[in-house]
Amino acid sequence: RQAIDLRDRLFFELTQRDIPAALLVPAAIGPAPTPETTGDAVFNAPWSFLGLPTVSFPIGRAPDGLPLAVQLVGEKFTEAELLQAAAAHAERAEYERRPLPLN
């Protein structure tokens, strides 16, 4: 019950701010993780906790060739708009698609 109350308070505080329809925030601490893990959820956990949709997309590469990404966080029930915005941002990032260095 305490977790639900905290989620509700945080969601209320977030929705009372004058923020854009979508927030552009880091997706991870650094580049994509190795295949053994899905990585650290530190940048996704707050949005999952609040029940907000997110979509991540690559914007560049780290020196080792692994992708670097950002994520857009949207309002509840705005998945279609969020995906459209992510596609537009990803296109502008001009990310070069190539095989990942999985060695």
Side-chain angles (χ1 to χ4, degrees), residues 27-98:
I29 293 172
T34 60
E36 294 82 35
T37 179
T38 59
D40 188 339
V42 69
F43 288 106
N44 190 266
W47 316 118
S48 294
F49 181 65
L50 292 172
L52 299 175
T54 66
V55 59
S56 297
F57 55 93
I59 58 166
R61 291 192 181 272
D64 63 2
L66 290 174
L68 296 169
V70 294
Q71 65 182 334
L72 280 176
V73 181
E75 299 176 38
K76 284 188 177 189
F77 312 113
T78 61
E79 287 84 351
E81 294 89 345
L82 194 62
L83 289 169
Q84 288 176 339
H89 282 289
E91 186 176 314
R92 279 190 291 262
E94 297 180 3
Y95 177 75
E96 178 189 350
R97 295 180 184 269
R98 62 180 190 230

Side-chain angles (χ1 to χ4, degrees), residues 7-19:
R7 182 202 63 205
D8 292 346
R9 279 197 321 268
L10 290 173
F11 184 78
F12 177 79
E13 287 296 322
L14 183 64
T15 58
Q16 298 307 302
R17 307 279 186 233
D18 186 20
I19 58 173

